[in-house]
Amino acid sequence: ERGTYQNTGTPPLSWYEFAKKIIDDAQQLNHLMVKKVIPIATLDYPSIALRPANSELSCDRITRVFDIKPNNWFLGLKKVVKSYYGI
């Protein structure tokens, strides 16, 4: 079946939540000292591009057509953070 397919990890999250998870993982490895990640609204971020309030991608079509189910991105992120620090 032709068309566009989304294949993203789960669970869905905001850029703030993603940044927070990276910081948390690095802190658990004792490689990063950040006191706090502060969320901001999309409207507060200066950008020429118009951003939707919710840009979550749906993986329903790729799951239905090819039976490809999204992976949990937590494990992949942890591997990336560890490899960044040579662990």
Side-chain angles (χ1 to χ4, degrees), residues 10-81:
T10 59
L13 70 160
S14 68
W15 282 111
Y16 162 74
E17 293 166 320
F18 187 53
K20 183 86 172 85
K21 180 66 176 146
I22 293 169
I23 299 300
D24 291 347
D25 284 0
Q27 285 176 332
Q28 287 177 5
L29 299 171
N30 294 319
H31 285 284
L32 187 63
M33 301 305 287
V34 173
K35 293 182 181 181
K36 187 160 65 168
V37 177
I38 301 168
I40 63 169
T42 300
L43 294 174
D44 297 331
Y45 186 77
S47 175
I48 296 171
L50 298 175
R51 306 279 185 213
N54 181 350
S55 58
E56 181 181 334
L57 300 174
S58 172
C59 297
D60 293 345
R61 186 168 189 222
I62 199 166
T63 299
R64 185 183 75 250
V65 174
F66 298 109
D67 197 31
I68 296 173
K69 295 173 182 65
N71 292 325
N72 186 305
W73 57 265
F74 288 146
L75 299 175
L77 179 63
K78 193 170 284 294
K79 286 180 185 178
V80 169
V81 171

